[in-house]
Amino acid sequence: MKKIILLLSLTITSVTFAQTRYWTSYNFSIEPQNQAAVYKLLNDYFTANPTSDEVSAYLYENHFKDSGNNYSHSLIWAGSLDGMGAQYMPKQDKDWELLLTKLTQLIDEFHSATMGNTVVNIGENKPIQRYFYLDVEDPQSYLAAFNKYQKYRPKDRQVLLGGFSAGRSPDGETHWIIIGFDDMKSAMDPGAYRRNNAQVQKAWDEYGKNRGKSNLVRNGLRIMLGSW
């Protein structure tokens, strides 16, 4: 069983609105001088032991974050329900056990682990991703309004929406959104495309009215370092 003793956020390849995917996230902190070594260990392992067609693994740097969310990196598994179930089946894997031993020698602190699903998954994976944790009162209304608005988003954006099923913090987040960008400029001003477009701004305002009550619990920005 691939027991990650590393301790996210969240995510995940491009599919469609309807196909639910599942993920697990392990969040941890490592010193800057050890980051390259951690990446190399993971890359070497997955090069020799590729993930299945139904599951992917991702390494992210948690770049901009608040003091309660201040781990440095996340290792995330994401895939179909069957694929994720198979991923966690007990099995003999000496290479994996050796990898875990080496990683624990480089990790300073295990922060948290979370699990959940992805119900909206649009676009290709982007290297720079803004994430938002939300406390949503009416998930069905939120999902309907969210889906309706997506036709107005720029085609080069990655858009993900899902929920937490385990590992929620005391802050009470129920859902998360990820918006992916090709570069930092776009991530710094994500609403620029609405500014001079009255139709899109109107749709954005309607989205805000129709999604029901929700509170922003936390937000940040992460950078993808590797995907396998």
Side-chain angles (χ1 to χ4, degrees):
M1 175 178 179
K2 290 190 175 180
K3 293 181 179 177
I4 318 282
I5 51 177
L6 310 171
L7 291 174
L8 157 144
S9 207
L10 322 117
T11 333
I12 317 158
T13 56
S14 57
V15 213
T16 64
F17 285 109
Q19 184 178 358
T20 299
R21 289 172 64 81
Y22 298 84
W23 55 266
T24 54
S25 164
Y26 301 87
N27 311 315
F28 51 94
S29 291
I30 51 180
E31 293 296 329
Q33 65 269 21
N34 292 328
Q35 292 179 10
V38 168
Y39 173 82
K40 186 177 187 307
L41 284 171
L42 290 169
N43 190 58
D44 287 350
Y45 173 80
F46 287 119
T47 298
N49 304 273
T51 57
S52 73
D53 292 339
E54 294 190 65
V55 175
S56 297
Y58 303 87
L59 178 67
Y60 290 94
E61 176 194 343
N62 192 23
H63 195 76
F64 293 116
K65 66 269 188 182
D66 63 81
S67 60
N69 194 44
N70 60 356
Y71 55 88
S72 67
H73 290 76
S74 297
L75 180 62
I76 296 175
W77 298 96
S80 67
L81 183 59
D82 287 341
M84 291 294 287
Q87 182 68 33
Y88 280 86
M89 287 290 290
K91 58 177 72 77
Q92 292 292 325
D93 188 340
K94 293 183 179 179
D95 289 343
W96 179 253
E97 298 298 330
L98 178 60
L99 171 66
L100 293 182
T101 298
K102 293 180 177 180
L103 287 175
T104 54
Q105 294 172 354
L106 297 172
I107 293 171
D108 293 323
E109 180 181 0
F110 301 107
H111 184 277
S112 60
T114 52
M115 178 173 73
N117 61 19
T118 305
V119 296
V120 176
N121 197 341
I122 303 170
E124 298 177 353
N125 280 310
K126 299 296 183 178
I128 298 171
Q129 301 177 355
R130 293 189 63 168
Y131 61 84
F132 305 86
Y133 291 1
L134 306 169
D135 181 7
V136 175
E137 188 173 278
D138 185 347
Q140 290 185 337
S141 294
Y142 199 101
L143 178 61
F146 188 87
N147 282 346
K148 184 178 180 180
Y149 180 74
Q150 296 318 307
K151 65 181 179 180
Y152 296 101
R153 287 196 192 274
K155 301 304 181 184
D156 62 349
R157 298 280 166 90
Q158 177 188 17
V159 180
L160 304 169
L161 168 66
F164 294 95
S165 59
R168 289 169 55 187
S169 79
D171 297 319
E173 65 274 9
T174 62
H175 290 72
W176 55 270
I177 293 172
I178 287 175
I179 308 296
F181 306 87
D182 288 315
D183 51 57
M184 189 64 76
K185 178 182 177 180
S186 300
M188 286 182 168
D189 191 9
Y193 70 97
R194 297 193 301 269
R195 204 158 290 134
N196 297 312
N197 190 319
Q199 182 184 19
V200 176
Q201 185 60 53
K202 180 181 178 182
W204 177 260
D205 294 340
E206 290 177 353
Y207 163 54
K209 293 176 182 177
N210 296 333
R211 64 190 179 188
K213 184 179 179 181
S214 62
N215 297 312
L216 178 63
V217 174
R218 154 169 291 132
N219 68 83
L221 182 146
R222 68 188 192 182
I223 298 173
M224 184 188 297
L225 303 180
S227 61
W228 301 275

